[in-house]
Amino acid sequence: PILQASTSEIYGDPLEHPQSESYWGNVNPIGPRACYDEGKRVAEALCIAYKSYNKTQIRIARIFNTYGPYMDQKDGRVVSNFIVQALQGLPITLYGDGSQTRSFCFVDDMTDALIKLMKSDLQSPVNLGNPSEYKITDLASIIKEKTSSSSELIFQDLPEDDPKIRCPDITLAREKLLWGPKIKLKEGLELTVEWFRDEIES
Ligand code: UDP
């Protein structure tokens, strides 16, 4: 089977909350994120068409925000940015007022889900992520605490089309893959902070 690594971005700035697989999304087709989110939408469409016409075996994982060791220090994601900033005593950059939400899944839970998906016969897209939802301000506080950092919080412009809320409904994954995340955010962040600490010091 082919694994299509799709994304929660296909739901855009969602008008339904939490997002289940039956929701079609709210995506700006010509916005700055369009190459990514519309690109992922068309990739799902092509996979489904290949499945129908060519009987290709496909699995589609809609991957929600995932974090953990081995992230690139400079890839610009919120978890890596905040940890690196906190460990280096730099200002922690919140975009907008930080009230937007995300739901963060630890990488080991995600790989477990992907392996279960590939061993299953699930033909339709499935949400994979951790449904515990946090404001970005809460994430900053937890990371400050876990790093014992005295970094100040600063507020910068919110990127255009940044989704205001995001949380997966993982009922389908629980039922069909017998999967659910096991690692809580605080625990996963401790492991991630330790990894980044070693990286930065080496
Ligand atoms: N974000 C932030 N500060 C940063 C990086 C990101 O406040 O230094 C915000 C960003 O605007 C978004 C959320 O954190 O609302 C998650 O951003 P990320 O790029 O990690 O993932 P995505 O936007 O794809 O969910």
Side-chain angles (χ1 to χ4, degrees), residues 8-9 33 36 65 75-79 81-82 85 92-96 98 100-102 104 136 139 156-159 162-163 166:
S8 51
E9 294 276 328
R33 301 169 89 95
Y36 187 68
N65 297 64
D75 87 355
R77 283 156 196 254
V78 68
V79 172
N81 274 9
F82 284 6
Q85 290 162 346
I92 294 179
T93 53
L94 291 113
Y95 299 161
Q100 68 272 32
T101 68
R102 292 294 187 274
F104 300 99
I136 296 304
L139 178 74
Q156 298 184 341
D157 289 344
L158 188 67
D162 197 73
R166 181 180 294 153

PDB file of all heavy atoms in Angstrom, residues 8-9 33 36 65 75-79 81-82 85 92-96 98 100-102 104 136 139 156-159 162-163 166, ligand 1:
ATOM      1  N   SER A   8      -3.719  17.894   8.736  1.00  0.00           N
ATOM      2  CA  SER A   8      -4.861  18.639   9.274  1.00  0.00           C
ATOM      3  C   SER A   8      -5.081  19.937   8.504  1.00  0.00           C
ATOM      4  O   SER A   8      -6.154  20.531   8.570  1.00  0.00           O
ATOM      5  CB  SER A   8      -4.603  18.964  10.741  1.00  0.00           C
ATOM      6  OG  SER A   8      -3.339  19.576  10.897  1.00  0.00           O
ATOM      7  N   GLU A   9      -4.054  20.404   7.775  1.00  0.00           N
ATOM      8  CA  GLU A   9      -4.195  21.646   7.003  1.00  0.00           C
ATOM      9  C   GLU A   9      -5.284  21.529   5.939  1.00  0.00           C
ATOM     10  O   GLU A   9      -5.780  22.541   5.450  1.00  0.00           O
ATOM     11  CB  GLU A   9      -2.878  22.019   6.313  1.00  0.00           C
ATOM     12  CG  GLU A   9      -1.769  22.389   7.264  1.00  0.00           C
ATOM     13  CD  GLU A   9      -1.798  23.846   7.722  1.00  0.00           C
ATOM     14  OE1 GLU A   9      -2.225  24.704   6.948  1.00  0.00           O
ATOM     15  OE2 GLU A   9      -1.411  24.098   8.871  1.00  0.00           O
ATOM     16  N   ARG A  33      -0.861  29.909   2.174  1.00  0.00           N
ATOM     17  CA  ARG A  33      -0.677  28.503   2.552  1.00  0.00           C
ATOM     18  C   ARG A  33      -1.211  27.558   1.485  1.00  0.00           C
ATOM     19  O   ARG A  33      -1.149  26.338   1.646  1.00  0.00           O
ATOM     20  CB  ARG A  33      -1.436  28.192   3.863  1.00  0.00           C
ATOM     21  CG  ARG A  33      -1.018  29.023   5.044  1.00  0.00           C
ATOM     22  CD  ARG A  33      -1.997  28.843   6.189  1.00  0.00           C
ATOM     23  NE  ARG A  33      -1.670  27.755   7.081  1.00  0.00           N
ATOM     24  CZ  ARG A  33      -0.987  27.894   8.208  1.00  0.00           C
ATOM     25  NH1 ARG A  33      -0.549  29.068   8.595  1.00  0.00           N
ATOM     26  NH2 ARG A  33      -0.739  26.859   8.979  1.00  0.00           N
ATOM     27  N   TYR A  36       0.547  24.495  -0.016  1.00  0.00           N
ATOM     28  CA  TYR A  36       0.628  23.359   0.894  1.00  0.00           C
ATOM     29  C   TYR A  36      -0.745  22.723   1.105  1.00  0.00           C
ATOM     30  O   TYR A  36      -0.947  21.547   0.801  1.00  0.00           O
ATOM     31  CB  TYR A  36       1.229  23.795   2.237  1.00  0.00           C
ATOM     32  CG  TYR A  36       1.477  22.617   3.153  1.00  0.00           C
ATOM     33  CD1 TYR A  36       2.449  21.671   2.853  1.00  0.00           C
ATOM     34  CD2 TYR A  36       0.713  22.440   4.301  1.00  0.00           C
ATOM     35  CE1 TYR A  36       2.657  20.581   3.685  1.00  0.00           C
ATOM     36  CE2 TYR A  36       0.923  21.352   5.133  1.00  0.00           C
ATOM     37  CZ  TYR A  36       1.893  20.425   4.817  1.00  0.00           C
ATOM     38  OH  TYR A  36       2.084  19.347   5.638  1.00  0.00           O
ATOM     39  N   ASN A  65      -0.662  18.296  14.188  1.00  0.00           N
ATOM     40  CA  ASN A  65       0.631  18.788  14.691  1.00  0.00           C
ATOM     41  C   ASN A  65       1.364  17.721  15.510  1.00  0.00           C
ATOM     42  O   ASN A  65       0.813  17.194  16.475  1.00  0.00           O
ATOM     43  CB  ASN A  65       0.434  20.039  15.546  1.00  0.00           C
ATOM     44  CG  ASN A  65      -0.152  21.183  14.746  1.00  0.00           C
ATOM     45  OD1 ASN A  65      -1.282  21.091  14.271  1.00  0.00           O
ATOM     46  ND2 ASN A  65       0.607  22.242  14.573  1.00  0.00           N
ATOM     47  N   ASP A  75      13.216  24.815  11.757  1.00  0.00           N
ATOM     48  CA  ASP A  75      12.141  24.611  10.778  1.00  0.00           C
ATOM     49  C   ASP A  75      10.950  25.533  10.999  1.00  0.00           C
ATOM     50  O   ASP A  75      10.019  25.547  10.203  1.00  0.00           O
ATOM     51  CB  ASP A  75      11.766  23.129  10.610  1.00  0.00           C
ATOM     52  CG  ASP A  75      10.719  22.658  11.592  1.00  0.00           C
ATOM     53  OD1 ASP A  75      10.333  23.430  12.489  1.00  0.00           O
ATOM     54  OD2 ASP A  75      10.288  21.505  11.459  1.00  0.00           O
ATOM     55  N   GLY A  76      10.981  26.288  12.074  1.00  0.00           N
ATOM     56  CA  GLY A  76       9.986  27.355  12.234  1.00  0.00           C
ATOM     57  C   GLY A  76       8.703  26.942  12.913  1.00  0.00           C
ATOM     58  O   GLY A  76       7.797  27.750  13.086  1.00  0.00           O
ATOM     59  N   ARG A  77       8.589  25.683  13.300  1.00  0.00           N
ATOM     60  CA  ARG A  77       7.364  25.247  13.977  1.00  0.00           C
ATOM     61  C   ARG A  77       7.343  25.757  15.408  1.00  0.00           C
ATOM     62  O   ARG A  77       8.373  26.059  15.996  1.00  0.00           O
ATOM     63  CB  ARG A  77       7.267  23.731  13.982  1.00  0.00           C
ATOM     64  CG  ARG A  77       6.831  23.218  12.653  1.00  0.00           C
ATOM     65  CD  ARG A  77       7.270  21.803  12.452  1.00  0.00           C
ATOM     66  NE  ARG A  77       7.159  21.505  11.043  1.00  0.00           N
ATOM     67  CZ  ARG A  77       6.194  20.742  10.539  1.00  0.00           C
ATOM     68  NH1 ARG A  77       5.285  20.205  11.306  1.00  0.00           N
ATOM     69  NH2 ARG A  77       6.159  20.516   9.255  1.00  0.00           N
ATOM     70  N   VAL A  78       6.138  25.771  15.963  1.00  0.00           N
ATOM     71  CA  VAL A  78       5.999  26.422  17.257  1.00  0.00           C
ATOM     72  C   VAL A  78       6.750  25.684  18.362  1.00  0.00           C
ATOM     73  O   VAL A  78       7.402  26.320  19.209  1.00  0.00           O
ATOM     74  CB  VAL A  78       4.501  26.642  17.594  1.00  0.00           C
ATOM     75  CG1 VAL A  78       3.766  25.333  17.842  1.00  0.00           C
ATOM     76  CG2 VAL A  78       4.347  27.560  18.770  1.00  0.00           C
ATOM     77  N   VAL A  79       6.700  24.355  18.381  1.00  0.00           N
ATOM     78  CA  VAL A  79       7.340  23.628  19.484  1.00  0.00           C
ATOM     79  C   VAL A  79       8.859  23.818  19.426  1.00  0.00           C
ATOM     80  O   VAL A  79       9.497  24.163  20.431  1.00  0.00           O
ATOM     81  CB  VAL A  79       6.960  22.130  19.467  1.00  0.00           C
ATOM     82  CG1 VAL A  79       7.779  21.355  20.491  1.00  0.00           C
ATOM     83  CG2 VAL A  79       5.469  21.956  19.750  1.00  0.00           C
ATOM     84  N   ASN A  81      10.574  26.192  17.819  1.00  0.00           N
ATOM     85  CA  ASN A  81      10.910  27.607  18.064  1.00  0.00           C
ATOM     86  C   ASN A  81      10.920  27.922  19.550  1.00  0.00           C
ATOM     87  O   ASN A  81      11.875  28.488  20.071  1.00  0.00           O
ATOM     88  CB  ASN A  81       9.877  28.528  17.405  1.00  0.00           C
ATOM     89  CG  ASN A  81      10.192  28.825  15.942  1.00  0.00           C
ATOM     90  OD1 ASN A  81      11.087  28.226  15.371  1.00  0.00           O
ATOM     91  ND2 ASN A  81       9.443  29.734  15.344  1.00  0.00           N
ATOM     92  N   PHE A  82       9.835  27.563  20.237  1.00  0.00           N
ATOM     93  CA  PHE A  82       9.707  27.936  21.654  1.00  0.00           C
ATOM     94  C   PHE A  82      10.789  27.263  22.510  1.00  0.00           C
ATOM     95  O   PHE A  82      11.362  27.887  23.391  1.00  0.00           O
ATOM     96  CB  PHE A  82       8.318  27.567  22.199  1.00  0.00           C
ATOM     97  CG  PHE A  82       7.194  28.488  21.765  1.00  0.00           C
ATOM     98  CD1 PHE A  82       7.407  29.498  20.841  1.00  0.00           C
ATOM     99  CD2 PHE A  82       5.910  28.344  22.299  1.00  0.00           C
ATOM    100  CE1 PHE A  82       6.367  30.344  20.439  1.00  0.00           C
ATOM    101  CE2 PHE A  82       4.864  29.183  21.918  1.00  0.00           C
ATOM    102  CZ  PHE A  82       5.087  30.180  20.986  1.00  0.00           C
ATOM    103  N   GLN A  85      14.189  28.901  21.734  1.00  0.00           N
ATOM    104  CA  GLN A  85      14.211  30.259  22.300  1.00  0.00           C
ATOM    105  C   GLN A  85      14.337  30.205  23.828  1.00  0.00           C
ATOM    106  O   GLN A  85      15.135  30.935  24.427  1.00  0.00           O
ATOM    107  CB  GLN A  85      12.930  31.013  21.902  1.00  0.00           C
ATOM    108  CG  GLN A  85      12.879  31.362  20.422  1.00  0.00           C
ATOM    109  CD  GLN A  85      11.468  31.697  19.917  1.00  0.00           C
ATOM    110  OE1 GLN A  85      10.472  31.429  20.580  1.00  0.00           O
ATOM    111  NE2 GLN A  85      11.399  32.278  18.724  1.00  0.00           N
ATOM    112  N   ILE A  92      10.400  34.576  23.510  1.00  0.00           N
ATOM    113  CA  ILE A  92       9.534  33.553  22.922  1.00  0.00           C
ATOM    114  C   ILE A  92       8.510  34.270  22.053  1.00  0.00           C
ATOM    115  O   ILE A  92       7.766  35.138  22.524  1.00  0.00           O
ATOM    116  CB  ILE A  92       8.870  32.716  24.030  1.00  0.00           C
ATOM    117  CG1 ILE A  92       9.957  31.920  24.772  1.00  0.00           C
ATOM    118  CG2 ILE A  92       7.795  31.796  23.466  1.00  0.00           C
ATOM    119  CD1 ILE A  92       9.460  31.060  25.911  1.00  0.00           C
ATOM    120  N   THR A  93       8.491  33.900  20.756  1.00  0.00           N
ATOM    121  CA  THR A  93       7.710  34.657  19.763  1.00  0.00           C
ATOM    122  C   THR A  93       6.310  34.074  19.592  1.00  0.00           C
ATOM    123  O   THR A  93       6.139  33.048  18.933  1.00  0.00           O
ATOM    124  CB  THR A  93       8.436  34.620  18.401  1.00  0.00           C
ATOM    125  OG1 THR A  93       8.715  33.238  18.070  1.00  0.00           O
ATOM    126  CG2 THR A  93       9.735  35.403  18.438  1.00  0.00           C
ATOM    127  N   LEU A  94       5.317  34.744  20.172  1.00  0.00           N
ATOM    128  CA  LEU A  94       3.927  34.317  19.951  1.00  0.00           C
ATOM    129  C   LEU A  94       3.364  35.098  18.769  1.00  0.00           C
ATOM    130  O   LEU A  94       3.492  36.322  18.726  1.00  0.00           O
ATOM    131  CB  LEU A  94       3.082  34.585  21.190  1.00  0.00           C
ATOM    132  CG  LEU A  94       3.421  33.700  22.377  1.00  0.00           C
ATOM    133  CD1 LEU A  94       4.023  34.505  23.489  1.00  0.00           C
ATOM    134  CD2 LEU A  94       2.200  32.962  22.853  1.00  0.00           C
ATOM    135  N   TYR A  95       2.765  34.391  17.845  1.00  0.00           N
ATOM    136  CA  TYR A  95       2.157  35.067  16.690  1.00  0.00           C
ATOM    137  C   TYR A  95       0.698  35.392  17.026  1.00  0.00           C
ATOM    138  O   TYR A  95      -0.037  34.545  17.543  1.00  0.00           O
ATOM    139  CB  TYR A  95       2.238  34.183  15.448  1.00  0.00           C
ATOM    140  CG  TYR A  95       3.656  33.831  15.023  1.00  0.00           C
ATOM    141  CD1 TYR A  95       3.903  32.745  14.191  1.00  0.00           C
ATOM    142  CD2 TYR A  95       4.757  34.591  15.458  1.00  0.00           C
ATOM    143  CE1 TYR A  95       5.199  32.414  13.810  1.00  0.00           C
ATOM    144  CE2 TYR A  95       6.051  34.259  15.073  1.00  0.00           C
ATOM    145  CZ  TYR A  95       6.266  33.166  14.251  1.00  0.00           C
ATOM    146  OH  TYR A  95       7.541  32.823  13.867  1.00  0.00           O
ATOM    147  N   GLY A  96       0.293  36.622  16.723  1.00  0.00           N
ATOM    148  CA  GLY A  96      -1.043  37.073  17.106  1.00  0.00           C
ATOM    149  C   GLY A  96      -1.088  37.239  18.619  1.00  0.00           C
ATOM    150  O   GLY A  96      -0.064  37.534  19.252  1.00  0.00           O
ATOM    151  N   GLY A  98      -1.833  34.724  20.576  1.00  0.00           N
ATOM    152  CA  GLY A  98      -1.525  33.411  21.158  1.00  0.00           C
ATOM    153  C   GLY A  98      -2.763  32.649  21.613  1.00  0.00           C
ATOM    154  O   GLY A  98      -2.646  31.613  22.258  1.00  0.00           O
ATOM    155  N   GLN A 100      -4.892  31.259  19.601  1.00  0.00           N
ATOM    156  CA  GLN A 100      -5.203  30.160  18.671  1.00  0.00           C
ATOM    157  C   GLN A 100      -4.807  28.830  19.318  1.00  0.00           C
ATOM    158  O   GLN A 100      -3.904  28.794  20.153  1.00  0.00           O
ATOM    159  CB  GLN A 100      -4.492  30.360  17.317  1.00  0.00           C
ATOM    160  CG  GLN A 100      -2.987  30.238  17.294  1.00  0.00           C
ATOM    161  CD  GLN A 100      -2.276  31.558  17.589  1.00  0.00           C
ATOM    162  OE1 GLN A 100      -2.763  32.382  18.336  1.00  0.00           O
ATOM    163  NE2 GLN A 100      -1.096  31.743  17.006  1.00  0.00           N
ATOM    164  N   THR A 101      -5.500  27.766  18.921  1.00  0.00           N
ATOM    165  CA  THR A 101      -5.241  26.470  19.557  1.00  0.00           C
ATOM    166  C   THR A 101      -4.647  25.467  18.567  1.00  0.00           C
ATOM    167  O   THR A 101      -4.887  25.548  17.365  1.00  0.00           O
ATOM    168  CB  THR A 101      -6.535  25.848  20.136  1.00  0.00           C
ATOM    169  OG1 THR A 101      -7.404  25.478  19.058  1.00  0.00           O
ATOM    170  CG2 THR A 101      -7.243  26.811  21.073  1.00  0.00           C
ATOM    171  N   ARG A 102      -3.883  24.542  19.133  1.00  0.00           N
ATOM    172  CA  ARG A 102      -3.385  23.394  18.389  1.00  0.00           C
ATOM    173  C   ARG A 102      -3.411  22.198  19.346  1.00  0.00           C
ATOM    174  O   ARG A 102      -3.461  22.343  20.558  1.00  0.00           O
ATOM    175  CB  ARG A 102      -1.947  23.600  17.906  1.00  0.00           C
ATOM    176  CG  ARG A 102      -1.768  24.683  16.832  1.00  0.00           C
ATOM    177  CD  ARG A 102      -2.436  24.334  15.523  1.00  0.00           C
ATOM    178  NE  ARG A 102      -2.123  25.306  14.462  1.00  0.00           N
ATOM    179  CZ  ARG A 102      -2.801  26.436  14.269  1.00  0.00           C
ATOM    180  NH1 ARG A 102      -3.820  26.766  15.044  1.00  0.00           N
ATOM    181  NH2 ARG A 102      -2.476  27.246  13.280  1.00  0.00           N
ATOM    182  N   PHE A 104      -1.222  18.733  20.088  1.00  0.00           N
ATOM    183  CA  PHE A 104       0.129  18.250  19.769  1.00  0.00           C
ATOM    184  C   PHE A 104       0.287  16.764  20.084  1.00  0.00           C
ATOM    185  O   PHE A 104       0.019  16.323  21.201  1.00  0.00           O
ATOM    186  CB  PHE A 104       1.161  19.052  20.553  1.00  0.00           C
ATOM    187  CG  PHE A 104       1.125  20.520  20.234  1.00  0.00           C
ATOM    188  CD1 PHE A 104       0.458  21.406  21.070  1.00  0.00           C
ATOM    189  CD2 PHE A 104       1.738  21.013  19.084  1.00  0.00           C
ATOM    190  CE1 PHE A 104       0.408  22.764  20.773  1.00  0.00           C
ATOM    191  CE2 PHE A 104       1.692  22.365  18.780  1.00  0.00           C
ATOM    192  CZ  PHE A 104       1.021  23.241  19.628  1.00  0.00           C
ATOM    193  N   ILE A 136      -1.815  28.582  22.283  1.00  0.00           N
ATOM    194  CA  ILE A 136      -0.371  28.760  22.084  1.00  0.00           C
ATOM    195  C   ILE A 136       0.252  29.457  23.308  1.00  0.00           C
ATOM    196  O   ILE A 136       1.389  29.172  23.685  1.00  0.00           O
ATOM    197  CB  ILE A 136      -0.110  29.533  20.763  1.00  0.00           C
ATOM    198  CG1 ILE A 136      -0.602  28.686  19.560  1.00  0.00           C
ATOM    199  CG2 ILE A 136       1.359  29.885  20.595  1.00  0.00           C
ATOM    200  CD1 ILE A 136      -0.018  27.298  19.436  1.00  0.00           C
ATOM    201  N   LEU A 139       1.009  26.697  25.712  1.00  0.00           N
ATOM    202  CA  LEU A 139       2.206  25.962  25.288  1.00  0.00           C
ATOM    203  C   LEU A 139       3.461  26.723  25.719  1.00  0.00           C
ATOM    204  O   LEU A 139       4.414  26.128  26.240  1.00  0.00           O
ATOM    205  CB  LEU A 139       2.187  25.768  23.760  1.00  0.00           C
ATOM    206  CG  LEU A 139       3.411  25.048  23.208  1.00  0.00           C
ATOM    207  CD1 LEU A 139       3.365  23.560  23.528  1.00  0.00           C
ATOM    208  CD2 LEU A 139       3.526  25.235  21.696  1.00  0.00           C
ATOM    209  N   GLN A 156       4.063  38.870  17.963  1.00  0.00           N
ATOM    210  CA  GLN A 156       4.367  39.296  16.586  1.00  0.00           C
ATOM    211  C   GLN A 156       3.140  39.082  15.705  1.00  0.00           C
ATOM    212  O   GLN A 156       2.173  38.464  16.136  1.00  0.00           O
ATOM    213  CB  GLN A 156       5.557  38.496  16.052  1.00  0.00           C
ATOM    214  CG  GLN A 156       6.827  38.729  16.864  1.00  0.00           C
ATOM    215  CD  GLN A 156       8.048  38.024  16.292  1.00  0.00           C
ATOM    216  OE1 GLN A 156       7.927  37.084  15.507  1.00  0.00           O
ATOM    217  NE2 GLN A 156       9.219  38.468  16.702  1.00  0.00           N
ATOM    218  N   ASP A 157       3.227  39.589  14.455  1.00  0.00           N
ATOM    219  CA  ASP A 157       2.055  39.501  13.566  1.00  0.00           C
ATOM    220  C   ASP A 157       1.638  38.040  13.334  1.00  0.00           C
ATOM    221  O   ASP A 157       2.496  37.166  13.156  1.00  0.00           O
ATOM    222  CB  ASP A 157       2.364  40.128  12.202  1.00  0.00           C
ATOM    223  CG  ASP A 157       2.478  41.634  12.321  1.00  0.00           C
ATOM    224  OD1 ASP A 157       2.033  42.177  13.359  1.00  0.00           O
ATOM    225  OD2 ASP A 157       3.018  42.244  11.397  1.00  0.00           O
ATOM    226  N   LEU A 158       0.340  37.837  13.296  1.00  0.00           N
ATOM    227  CA  LEU A 158      -0.192  36.505  12.993  1.00  0.00           C
ATOM    228  C   LEU A 158      -0.074  36.275  11.485  1.00  0.00           C
ATOM    229  O   LEU A 158      -0.501  37.126  10.705  1.00  0.00           O
ATOM    230  CB  LEU A 158      -1.668  36.457  13.417  1.00  0.00           C
ATOM    231  CG  LEU A 158      -2.368  35.112  13.368  1.00  0.00           C
ATOM    232  CD1 LEU A 158      -1.801  34.153  14.405  1.00  0.00           C
ATOM    233  CD2 LEU A 158      -3.870  35.298  13.606  1.00  0.00           C
ATOM    234  N   PRO A 159       0.498  35.137  11.066  1.00  0.00           N
ATOM    235  CA  PRO A 159       0.558  34.872   9.616  1.00  0.00           C
ATOM    236  C   PRO A 159      -0.847  34.829   9.014  1.00  0.00           C
ATOM    237  O   PRO A 159      -1.805  34.410   9.685  1.00  0.00           O
ATOM    238  CB  PRO A 159       1.227  33.497   9.529  1.00  0.00           C
ATOM    239  CG  PRO A 159       1.890  33.274  10.842  1.00  0.00           C
ATOM    240  CD  PRO A 159       1.104  34.059  11.851  1.00  0.00           C
ATOM    241  N   ASP A 162      -3.760  31.829   9.233  1.00  0.00           N
ATOM    242  CA  ASP A 162      -3.364  30.915  10.322  1.00  0.00           C
ATOM    243  C   ASP A 162      -4.653  30.370  10.968  1.00  0.00           C
ATOM    244  O   ASP A 162      -5.474  31.146  11.448  1.00  0.00           O
ATOM    245  CB  ASP A 162      -2.561  31.714  11.359  1.00  0.00           C
ATOM    246  CG  ASP A 162      -1.755  30.837  12.296  1.00  0.00           C
ATOM    247  OD1 ASP A 162      -0.744  30.279  11.855  1.00  0.00           O
ATOM    248  OD2 ASP A 162      -2.144  30.725  13.473  1.00  0.00           O
ATOM    249  N   PRO A 163      -4.857  29.047  10.989  1.00  0.00           N
ATOM    250  CA  PRO A 163      -6.095  28.524  11.585  1.00  0.00           C
ATOM    251  C   PRO A 163      -6.231  28.929  13.057  1.00  0.00           C
ATOM    252  O   PRO A 163      -5.262  28.886  13.809  1.00  0.00           O
ATOM    253  CB  PRO A 163      -5.935  27.005  11.430  1.00  0.00           C
ATOM    254  CG  PRO A 163      -5.035  26.847  10.255  1.00  0.00           C
ATOM    255  CD  PRO A 163      -4.064  27.990  10.353  1.00  0.00           C
ATOM    256  N   ARG A 166      -7.740  24.130  16.211  1.00  0.00           N
ATOM    257  CA  ARG A 166      -7.501  22.834  15.545  1.00  0.00           C
ATOM    258  C   ARG A 166      -7.483  21.734  16.592  1.00  0.00           C
ATOM    259  O   ARG A 166      -6.746  21.813  17.568  1.00  0.00           O
ATOM    260  CB  ARG A 166      -6.180  22.844  14.784  1.00  0.00           C
ATOM    261  CG  ARG A 166      -5.920  21.527  14.076  1.00  0.00           C
ATOM    262  CD  ARG A 166      -4.635  21.507  13.328  1.00  0.00           C
ATOM    263  NE  ARG A 166      -4.627  22.423  12.210  1.00  0.00           N
ATOM    264  CZ  ARG A 166      -3.519  22.974  11.717  1.00  0.00           C
ATOM    265  NH1 ARG A 166      -2.350  22.702  12.257  1.00  0.00           N
ATOM    266  NH2 ARG A 166      -3.590  23.782  10.680  1.00  0.00           N
TER     267      ARG A 166
HETATM  268  N1  UDP B   1       3.435  30.042  16.165  1.00  0.00           N
HETATM  269  C1  UDP B   1       3.818  30.996  17.110  1.00  0.00           C
HETATM  270  N2  UDP B   1       5.149  31.278  17.245  1.00  0.00           N
HETATM  271  C2  UDP B   1       6.116  30.645  16.517  1.00  0.00           C
HETATM  272  C3  UDP B   1       5.716  29.654  15.569  1.00  0.00           C
HETATM  273  C4  UDP B   1       4.370  29.394  15.415  1.00  0.00           C
HETATM  274  O1  UDP B   1       2.966  31.587  17.803  1.00  0.00           O
HETATM  275  O2  UDP B   1       7.300  30.955  16.719  1.00  0.00           O
HETATM  276  C5  UDP B   1       1.993  29.716  16.045  1.00  0.00           C
HETATM  277  C6  UDP B   1       1.466  29.722  14.622  1.00  0.00           C
HETATM  278  O3  UDP B   1       1.045  31.019  14.241  1.00  0.00           O
HETATM  279  C7  UDP B   1       0.329  28.735  14.722  1.00  0.00           C
HETATM  280  C8  UDP B   1       0.795  27.729  15.786  1.00  0.00           C
HETATM  281  O4  UDP B   1       1.823  28.400  16.513  1.00  0.00           O
HETATM  282  O5  UDP B   1      -0.838  29.372  15.191  1.00  0.00           O
HETATM  283  C9  UDP B   1       1.336  26.432  15.198  1.00  0.00           C
HETATM  284  O6  UDP B   1       2.305  26.763  14.231  1.00  0.00           O
HETATM  285  P1  UDP B   1       3.164  25.656  13.472  1.00  0.00           P
HETATM  286  O7  UDP B   1       3.920  26.347  12.379  1.00  0.00           O
HETATM  287  O8  UDP B   1       3.965  24.866  14.445  1.00  0.00           O
HETATM  288  O9  UDP B   1       2.090  24.665  12.871  1.00  0.00           O
HETATM  289  P2  UDP B   1       0.765  24.923  11.988  1.00  0.00           P
HETATM  290  O10 UDP B   1       0.538  26.387  11.795  1.00  0.00           O
HETATM  291  O11 UDP B   1       1.061  24.220  10.734  1.00  0.00           O
HETATM  292  O12 UDP B   1      -0.318  24.335  12.797  1.00  0.00           O
END
